[in-house]
Amino acid sequence: AETKENITPPTLKDVFEEWDPFYSARVGESTMVCYRSAYKHFSELHDRLITDITARDLQRCMDNCKSGKRTHQNMKVTAGLIWAYALDAEIVNKDITKHLYIGKGETKQREPLTDVELEVIRQAIGKDIYAEYVYALCYLGFRPGEFLALKKEDLHKDEKLWYLVGGGKTEAGTNRTVPVPEKIKPILARREAAKGTEYLFPQYCYDTHQRFKGFKKMSDAYFRESVFKPLMSKLGIAEGKVPYGARHTYSDKLKNAGGDDKAKAALMGHTDYNFTKKKYQSTSLEDLQEVVASIV
């Protein structure tokens, strides 16, 4: 029988694929998307035995990554979580990630889309299939992962009032109620009517001849790299904008909207938000609607 000493250690990829479902059950999907994206920057080490990887190897991957400081921070956190898991499982005997250097680079800001840019996107609706996705994202306030996870069953219609129930990541953000602004209702009506998918904002799939073959759930990475960035470039919108910036667009609009501060915090899914220093309290749908109705 094999002893513990002569069993071949797993590769970094093996450990990651074991750790991913283990940790996914403990955090929100949008958080896992960040970790998975960070893990990809260690690609040159994926097939190496984890016991053969050194802190210098990890640092080299971080130094070679040309993304901003936030990505480097995510890389260090992700490596730390993987090594902590491997340590608990007695796969490795020490944590080599504690002294990884993030660097002095500036954290890239998630700049909001301006009203001028929003108008450019609005005018592209009907010409680009995903323009309405980005436009709706700016007026609903969900994080990109939350937005892409919305299903048709999450859309509720109460006479003239439409609202979505979705979200995650924080306790206050989970299953929060978000009224739909009037200007977004036509978009949601079209999305609800789309056949062959349970999702409101799915990915369009095509065969090699560019013939539509159906829908599937869109990932954060696909939305960011294959939808958002190409659309921004196509429309001539400032380089460097990212999908999460749409949430900042919504936040800015809330600041200028009327209504109760606690309702604004609830719409963002925050327990401690700049609009209020008090602990989050549930608010009525009417309070939420009052805020949303005054968004321009």
Side-chain angles (χ1 to χ4, degrees), residues 98 109 114 123 168 170 199 229 243 293:
K98 290 183 178 180
Q109 297 299 314
T114 66
Q123 291 182 12
T170 66
Y199 294 98
K229 288 183 179 180

Side-chain angles (χ1 to χ4, degrees), residues 176-228:
R176 67 184 182 275
T177 299
V178 177
V180 178
E182 286 295 324
K183 63 177 63 181
I184 304 302
K185 284 185 179 180
I187 293 176
L188 285 177
R190 286 193 296 272
R191 301 312 323 154
E192 186 182 35
K195 297 180 179 180
T197 179
E198 63 181 325
Y199 294 98
L200 285 170
F201 301 97
Q203 177 182 334
Y204 285 76
C205 300
Y206 300 88
D207 62 20
T208 55
H209 299 289
Q210 293 303 301
R211 292 177 297 208
F212 176 67
K213 62 178 185 179
F215 295 107
K216 70 176 183 180
K217 185 178 185 298
M218 190 186 300
S219 68
D220 273 25
Y222 186 90
F223 181 68
R224 180 180 63 253
E225 301 298 331
S226 300
V227 174
F228 190 89

Side-chain angles (χ1 to χ4, degrees), residues 130-144:
Y130 290 125
E132 63 182 11
Y133 284 33
V134 177
Y135 193 71
L137 181 61
C138 292
Y139 281 94
L140 294 174
F142 289 105
R143 297 172 180 88

Side-chain angles (χ1 to χ4, degrees), residues 68-278:
K69 187 175 181 181
R70 188 180 299 277
T71 297
H72 290 88
Q73 291 170 332
N74 286 339
M75 289 176 72
K76 181 174 181 178
V77 170
T78 302
L81 290 168
I82 293 172
W83 254 261
Y85 177 83
L87 194 61
D88 287 344
E90 299 184 346
I91 297 170
V92 299
N93 57 22
K94 64 178 180 179
D95 183 356
I96 64 173
T97 69
K98 290 183 178 180
H99 301 296
L100 292 176
Y101 179 63
I102 293 173
K104 298 180 180 179
E106 294 182 358
T107 301
K108 292 185 177 179
Q109 297 299 314
R110 298 165 173 178
E111 295 183 1
L113 290 157
T114 66
D115 287 342
V116 172
E117 291 167 340
L118 276 175
E119 178 59 20
V120 171
I121 295 169
R122 188 193 67 78
Q123 291 182 12
I125 294 175
K127 302 172 185 176
D128 185 287
I129 58 173
Y130 290 125
E132 63 182 11
Y133 284 33
V134 177
Y135 193 71
L137 181 61
C138 292
Y139 281 94
L140 294 174
F142 289 105
R143 297 172 180 88
E146 298 171 338
F147 177 79
L148 297 171
L150 289 170
K151 296 181 178 181
K152 294 177 180 178
E153 65 187 31
D154 298 324
L155 176 61
H156 303 266
K157 301 175 182 178
D158 182 8
E159 296 180 357
K160 292 184 178 181
L161 175 60
W162 292 17
Y163 61 95
L164 289 158
V165 178
K169 189 167 184 178
T170 66
E171 182 178 351
T174 301
N175 293 328
R176 67 184 182 275
T177 299
V178 177
V180 178
E182 286 295 324
K183 63 177 63 181
I184 304 302
K185 284 185 179 180
I187 293 176
L188 285 177
R190 286 193 296 272
R191 301 312 323 154
E192 186 182 35
K195 297 180 179 180
T197 179
E198 63 181 325
Y199 294 98
L200 285 170
F201 301 97
Q203 177 182 334
Y204 285 76
C205 300
Y206 300 88
D207 62 20
T208 55
H209 299 289
Q210 293 303 301
R211 292 177 297 208
F212 176 67
K213 62 178 185 179
F215 295 107
K216 70 176 183 180
K217 185 178 185 298
M218 190 186 300
S219 68
D220 273 25
Y222 186 90
F223 181 68
R224 180 180 63 253
E225 301 298 331
S226 300
V227 174
F228 190 89
K229 288 183 179 180
L231 180 63
M232 296 302 99
S233 177
K234 177 181 177 181
L235 298 180
I237 291 175
E239 186 177 353
K241 297 291 175 79
V242 295
Y244 205 97
R247 183 166 159 83
H248 290 282
T249 300
Y250 187 73
S251 175
D252 284 350
K253 289 187 175 296
L254 287 186
K255 291 176 185 177
N256 296 317
D260 182 72
D261 286 345
K262 291 193 297 294
K264 295 177 182 181
L267 287 166
M268 291 297 296
H270 284 176
T271 55
D272 184 12
Y273 189 59
N274 288 336
F275 294 121
T276 176
K277 298 297 182 182
K278 297 181 180 179

